[in-house]
Amino acid sequence: MKLYNSLTRTKEEFIPINPKEVKMYTCGPTVYHFAHIGNLRTYIMEDVLEKYLRYLGYPVKRVMNITDVGHLSSDADTGEDKMLKGARREKKTVMEIAKYYTDAFFDDCRKLNIKIPDVVEPATSCIDEFIKVISGLIEKGYAYESGGNIYFDTSKLDKYYVFNNFEEEDLQDGVREGVEKDGNKRNKADFVLWFTKSKFEDQELKWNSPWGLGYPGWHIECSCISMKHLGENLDIHCGGIDNAFPHHTNEIAQSEAFLGHKWCNFWFHVLHLNTSSGKMSKSKGEFLTVSLLESKGYSPLVYRWFCLLSHYRKSLVFSYENLDNAKMTFEKLVARISKLEKSGEVEVDKFEKYKKLFTDAMDNDLNTSLAITAVYDVLKSDANDATKRALVADFDKVLSLDLLAQADKIAEKPENTDENDPEAEYINEAIKLRTAAKKEKNYAEADRIRDELKAKGIIIEDTAQGTKWKRI
Ligand code: AMP
Ligand code: ZN
């Protein structure tokens, strides 16, 4: 498989350090609020990468942190801890909101068929590891104490800006949200490893350390949690593109300084989900969540499908119009699959031929949109239905769209609704009126009818086979 490596800015053949265990690390969520669907695009595409590696036969060990301390409102060590902000917003303790939003994140993952990594470790459970690595960095001369905090000294490295061509002068104070000049730093690019002093005094979680009562910086968390579970060498490190600088740049600086050798071979970065007004972010208040999409009648797997239709290295624009198109194509695809007969023998030669179309697409830097074209090629082909179903099932090990399960549900269910329901006639009539209103572009009336039905506990869903309804 060829995979784009942000470190070398080229597509490279993926060769694991040890084919018996591919080591993969993922930057986990900062659990101060719900994940937005932009965050989840990154986790969906990382999930596809992990599943494709498994599909190719590699055993994968994947580790993810949960950031529950130290991620300040600016990625560059200034501002307030995001967790504290969340706790204050909800009048709860940091640990209470960490638990609540960690659970909410895994709930979203479950809905989107994102596999939970083999190891998930919250930062607050690794304080001893952070202290050990920071002490090692001080001993080796890569870190210094200043104004009560411990900083990494970037001037000790031959090359600090590994992902881009920034020079120190380009890293202007104030370019990022909330960045203020920190007079304790020897060099502008230096970053905090351990805080004992910060601009806000009410940090809730603090631990004893050789440098006084304090808490870790965000960057050290990922280096240490990765080393704790995956050792000194890593095959792939993943994250959204905004993590490349400063977060991943700092992770590389401190990990390699500590270890004394190269740490991670491949850096996999997912481009952002944007809205028409730019990057989707929590601080801007544009807050699209999976639950919000569900409440508007979109199944979470339609969002997964929407993400798979684009390459992970292209930014993706979210709009309801784009999502509606994805919903329509997804439902049509499922409807086509539902027509396939279950019986019959799989034709091995045809199976192999179409499997190759799929793997060729995925081997080329995870080209998921082309891999989906392979699904359509299968359905159009002269292969028998059993072969088609077997291929769909095989590809879905990676795509994780529950294609056969959804298709079988359609095939088994009568077209529409429960005609024995005492209100069936009234509901069907209301749906007809709503359809007519939509045709006339009278969306206000259409929404009014939908809301009226909802108030009676009836949910309606527009599908490729017409409007369906069910009781909650
Ligand atoms: P956070 O919870 O803020 O630490 O972010 C979790 C993950 O989502 C990280 O890998 C980020 O790089 C990624 N991310 C943040 N914003 C976006 C976005 N708009 N689109 C895609 N990924 C994002
Ligand atoms: Zn990280």
Side-chain angles (χ1 to χ4, degrees):
M1 172 183 42
K2 281 209 160 35
L3 196 60
Y4 184 84
N5 186 354
S6 305
L7 205 56
T8 56
R9 295 185 198 88
T10 50
K11 276 190 221 171
E12 288 174 34
E13 190 61 38
F14 175 71
I15 301 169
I17 299 162
N18 173 5
K20 294 204 177 99
E21 186 178 71
V22 172
K23 295 179 181 188
M24 191 172 166
Y25 184 84
T26 295
C27 287
T30 310
V31 283
Y32 70 111
H33 219 317
F34 293 110
H36 59 59
I37 57 171
N39 302 131
L40 292 161
R41 178 193 190 197
T42 292
Y43 294 107
I44 288 170
M45 300 318 288
E46 293 169 353
D47 180 66
V48 169
L49 172 61
E50 176 186 346
K51 286 183 178 150
Y52 191 59
L53 288 166
R54 291 183 191 274
Y55 178 93
L56 292 178
Y58 293 117
V60 178
K61 180 170 179 188
R62 178 151 172 228
V63 176
M64 183 175 84
N65 69 305
I66 297 286
T67 303
D68 53 0
V69 67
H71 192 174
L72 306 193
S73 52
S74 148
D75 284 357
D77 303 335
T78 56
E80 191 177 20
D81 191 316
K82 292 186 181 191
M83 294 301 296
L84 200 66
K85 230 169 150 177
R88 201 175 298 134
R89 184 187 66 232
E90 299 187 14
K91 300 190 175 47
K92 290 189 181 142
T93 64
V94 164
M95 280 298 129
E96 279 167 348
I97 66 154
K99 161 120 189 42
Y100 181 79
Y101 289 114
T102 303
D103 290 348
F105 173 74
F106 287 125
D107 217 30
D108 286 343
C109 289
R110 188 183 44 75
K111 290 176 184 171
L112 291 162
N113 279 349
I114 296 171
K115 178 184 170 296
I116 308 297
D118 306 287
V119 179
V120 177
E121 177 98 67
T124 47
S125 68
C126 293
I127 302 299
D128 289 347
E129 277 86 4
F130 306 151
I131 291 175
K132 191 184 100 193
V133 172
I134 297 169
S135 303
L137 288 169
I138 295 173
E139 264 167 44
K140 291 176 187 208
Y142 284 105
Y144 59 92
E145 187 169 353
S146 178
N149 293 337
I150 307 296
Y151 292 86
F152 186 90
D153 186 348
T154 52
S155 71
K156 293 277 156 43
L157 303 176
D158 294 338
K159 188 166 163 49
Y160 166 66
Y161 297 102
V162 287
F163 288 115
N164 42 39
N165 297 319
F166 285 145
E167 291 304 329
E168 192 170 333
E169 287 312 304
D170 299 332
L171 189 72
Q172 303 265 336
D173 289 330
V175 286
R176 292 179 153 255
E177 172 203 351
V179 174
E180 292 151 38
K181 202 168 170 55
D182 179 347
N184 295 321
K185 291 184 184 183
R186 289 185 191 158
N187 314 289
K188 272 186 189 163
D190 292 357
F191 54 92
V192 180
L193 297 166
W194 185 269
F195 290 94
T196 63
K197 296 254 175 354
S198 57
K199 293 194 182 61
F200 56 100
E201 290 304 322
D202 51 352
Q203 178 75 0
E204 202 177 296
L205 301 176
K206 288 183 190 173
W207 294 265
N208 277 317
S209 80
W211 320 287
L213 199 62
Y215 61 99
W218 171 41
H219 315 298
I220 197 72
E221 298 175 3
C222 286
S223 290
C224 292
I225 292 173
S226 168
M227 286 188 224
K228 177 177 172 188
H229 296 286
L230 298 169
E232 291 194 1
N233 294 290
L234 193 54
D235 286 296
I236 306 175
H237 193 308
C238 319
I241 190 66
D242 59 312
N243 282 166
F245 184 83
H247 185 48
H248 292 163
T249 304
N250 292 348
E251 280 189 48
I252 293 174
Q254 65 208 1
S255 301
E256 298 194 349
F258 178 76
L259 294 168
H261 59 73
K262 186 173 168 139
W263 174 47
C264 176
N265 285 347
F266 277 83
W267 287 83
F268 177 86
H269 287 122
V270 179
L271 270 282
H272 279 151
L273 181 79
N274 297 320
T275 58
S276 51
S277 55
K279 182 195 156 192
M280 185 172 294
S281 78
K282 292 176 201 173
S283 54
K284 281 204 220 153
E286 292 162 32
F287 222 71
L288 288 179
T289 59
V290 166
S291 314
L292 184 73
L293 295 188
E294 278 183 299
S295 73
K296 290 179 183 287
Y298 300 97
S299 126
L301 290 183
V302 165
Y303 180 64
R304 187 176 172 107
W305 166 256
F306 171 77
C307 291
L308 298 188
L309 291 171
S310 296
H311 195 259
Y312 76 90
R313 275 197 302 116
K314 288 203 178 115
S315 40
L316 177 59
V317 176
F318 178 85
S319 69
Y320 281 107
E321 202 185 343
N322 292 348
L323 191 64
D324 281 336
N325 286 336
K327 182 172 179 312
M328 194 181 66
T329 55
F330 186 60
E331 284 168 357
K332 277 193 177 156
L333 176 68
V334 171
R336 272 176 83 177
I337 297 169
S338 74
K339 306 270 179 329
L340 298 175
E341 292 291 335
K342 286 187 188 162
S343 54
E345 288 273 307
V346 173
E347 301 156 297
V348 178
D349 52 336
K350 289 187 181 154
F351 183 92
E352 292 305 328
K353 176 178 156 193
Y354 287 99
K355 185 180 168 89
K356 185 161 181 328
L357 280 187
F358 178 77
T359 52
D360 282 351
M362 295 298 285
D363 281 343
N364 185 7
D365 193 25
L366 296 191
N367 193 336
T368 48
S369 57
L370 204 59
I372 283 171
T373 309
V375 180
Y376 287 104
D377 288 338
V378 166
L379 294 177
K380 274 189 291 191
S381 76
D382 62 354
N384 68 18
D385 284 3
T387 310
K388 288 179 182 174
R389 278 182 66 96
L391 282 159
V392 169
D394 187 63
F395 302 172
D396 211 28
K397 287 178 195 157
V398 179
L399 304 176
S400 285
L401 294 162
D402 292 350
L403 291 170
L404 285 189
Q406 301 217 40
D408 291 348
K409 244 198 271 168
I410 296 185
E412 281 156 22
K413 257 198 193 159
E415 232 331 71
N416 208 329
T417 45
D418 181 7
E419 294 304 330
N420 296 326
D421 189 301
E423 286 188 276
E425 209 178 300
Y426 155 76
I427 297 165
N428 287 334
E429 203 45 47
I431 288 175
K432 267 189 211 155
L433 290 173
R434 178 173 168 270
T435 310
K438 271 174 71 178
K439 248 191 193 148
E440 287 164 22
K441 297 203 184 323
N442 186 353
Y443 297 115
E445 175 63 4
D447 285 350
R448 192 195 62 72
I449 297 172
R450 177 194 280 267
D451 292 344
E452 194 178 88
L453 289 171
K454 197 171 175 194
K456 288 179 180 289
I458 295 143
I459 294 286
I460 57 179
E461 203 193 337
D462 297 319
T463 75
Q465 294 80 44
T467 302
K468 299 193 173 189
W469 61 267
K470 63 176 183 212
R471 291 195 177 267
I472 307 170

